[in-house]
Amino acid sequence: MQHPPSGPDLWHATTIIMVKKGARTVIGGDGQVSIGQTIVKGNARKVRRLAKGEVIGGFAGATADAFTLFERLEGKLEQYPGQLMRACVELAKDWRTDRYLRRLEAMMLVADKEAALVLTGTGDVLEPEAADEGSVMGIGSGGNYALAAGRALLSTDLDAEDIARRALTIASEICVYTNGNFVLESIASK
């Protein structure tokens, strides 16, 4: 009997993109989950609303780890209502110092009406650099493909949702760990 593959290099899960343009921020993701060279699910939902719909978020990485982080972020958002940046910094502190959380293998993109952030297990809480046209961030196996496509599309007349959808489509045509089943959530920016 063959054992299932293990380790972060054998788990490829997704492409997540965040596009901030005009008065909207959109986070979109594909639905593919792969273990090694096998697709085990094609319609996973990796983008969701948090904090009673006031925050949108997407994750790349191990699903159970991402759910744990979403739950922890929800707790921080309850503790610091309306303060996404503070809640994320507090989560990042826990993520770096808590023995259990340190082992989690995931990254997150989160946004509310004021901030758009990337959270990593190394304690980073990063705000993408904003250009005149807006900003784009990508994570996951196809994240860099989506990021490049999104940046190229920022200067067009497309809105944030169209850019995110087209960037995900381009990533799905290049990255074998990304499919065309997209989920997008948007929120009005400040």
Side-chain angles (χ1 to χ4, degrees):
M1 182 158 125
Q2 189 175 7
H3 294 285
S6 62
D9 293 333
L10 295 175
W11 285 82
H12 299 277
T14 199
T15 299
I16 303 290
I17 188 168
M18 178 168 48
V19 178
K20 189 171 187 174
K21 184 175 182 183
R24 296 221 70 69
T25 300
V26 175
I27 296 179
D30 78 312
Q32 183 167 309
V33 177
S34 304
I35 300 175
Q37 298 174 354
T38 304
I39 298 169
V40 293
K41 187 170 184 172
N43 63 347
R45 186 173 174 89
K46 304 169 204 164
V47 175
R48 59 195 58 219
R49 290 192 166 274
L50 307 164
K52 300 177 184 162
E54 298 295 317
V55 174
I56 56 175
F59 70 86
T63 306
D65 294 353
F67 284 136
T68 299
L69 291 169
F70 272 147
E71 288 173 7
R72 294 285 181 119
L73 181 57
E74 284 271 17
K76 296 295 182 186
L77 289 166
E78 286 175 13
Q79 191 175 358
Y80 305 105
Q83 299 179 60
L84 179 63
M85 179 71 81
R86 174 124 189 237
C88 288
V89 168
E90 294 300 321
L91 175 63
K93 286 180 190 176
D94 290 351
W95 199 349
R96 287 276 298 156
T97 58
D98 184 275
R99 182 176 239 146
Y100 168 72
L101 291 178
R102 261 193 313 232
R103 295 188 186 128
L104 300 183
E105 297 174 1
M107 292 181 74
M108 298 171 64
L109 295 176
V110 294
D112 67 3
K113 64 183 179 183
E114 296 176 8
L117 306 167
V118 180
L119 285 80
T120 73
T122 58
D124 296 318
V125 177
L126 306 169
E127 194 163 18
E129 186 174 337
D132 290 338
E133 306 89 31
S135 63
V136 179
M137 182 52 88
I139 59 174
S141 298
N144 284 336
Y145 304 120
L147 173 64
R151 283 188 179 171
L153 293 167
L154 263 181
S155 62
T156 68
D157 292 334
L158 296 174
D159 64 17
E161 186 169 329
D162 288 335
I163 291 171
R165 190 174 307 281
R166 287 192 184 186
L168 284 167
T169 299
I170 289 167
S172 74
E173 293 169 352
I174 299 168
C175 179
V176 298
Y177 299 108
T178 304
N179 70 13
N181 294 335
F182 307 140
V183 172
L184 292 113
E185 292 286 351
S186 67
I187 195 161
S189 304
K190 193 172 183 184

